[in-house]
Amino acid sequence: MSGRQDIRDGLAAIDMKIGRNLRALRQSRRMSQAELAGILGITFQQMQKYERGLNRLSASKLYRLKSHLDVPYEDFFAGLDGADYARQNRNDDLSLLLKKVRGLPDLVLRDKILRILEVLVS
């Protein structure tokens, strides 16, 4: 197998993984393919191709999906090298922040900050 074919196969695998992640994100929002396709201004069939990884999502489509589904970019790339690492770092940062807030000696301030954080993550 040629190097070019290896690259094409690798890209196809990435497109399939992104498509599966898109499908899972859409389903978690209880949206149909037709609903999400309408938001993007594409056909239902095109949405099917994206979810199957047959067609590659453009950066502008990913941006619109990210904004509409209200998810970080990393969620589209979950399961690929680097994306899980980025998500883990974000979770580690959040854990560190919560640990610092919980360690504040001023109980009133601590409770106010925790309430703000609860609102932000809900």
Side-chain angles (χ1 to χ4, degrees):
M1 191 178 289
S2 73
R4 273 196 180 145
Q5 186 61 44
D6 289 342
I7 292 170
R8 278 192 292 261
D9 290 346
L11 292 175
I14 291 169
D15 293 336
M16 290 175 65
K17 184 62 177 168
I18 292 170
R20 282 193 297 270
N21 290 339
L22 170 59
R23 181 181 178 97
L25 292 167
R26 175 184 57 77
Q27 289 175 333
S28 74
R29 302 299 190 277
R30 300 192 192 294
M31 294 182 72
S32 70
Q33 287 178 322
E35 283 178 280
L36 196 52
I39 289 165
L40 293 178
I42 61 174
T43 65
F44 163 79
Q45 292 84 359
Q46 183 64 38
M47 181 56 67
Q48 284 182 318
K49 289 179 182 181
Y50 285 143
E51 288 188 359
R52 290 182 186 151
L54 299 175
N55 284 5
R56 186 168 297 144
L57 281 160
S58 67
S60 60
K61 292 259 189 312
L62 275 175
Y63 177 79
R64 290 178 69 195
L65 287 165
K66 173 214 176 299
S67 298
H68 186 76
L69 296 173
D70 192 29
V71 296
Y73 287 111
E74 294 88 12
D75 285 4
F76 293 103
F77 302 98
L80 298 171
D81 293 338
D84 291 330
Y85 176 77
R87 179 181 291 110
Q88 183 59 46
N89 282 345
R90 192 176 68 233
N91 289 340
D92 290 348
D93 291 345
L94 181 59
S95 295
L96 181 61
L97 174 65
L98 287 173
K99 188 175 183 178
K100 286 182 178 182
V101 169
R102 287 187 182 119
L104 289 172
D106 184 336
L107 298 179
V108 175
L109 177 62
R110 179 179 64 193
D111 288 343
K112 286 180 181 179
I113 293 173
L114 287 173
R115 278 193 218 120
I116 290 169
L117 291 174
E118 285 175 6
V119 169
L120 290 173
V121 297
S122 64

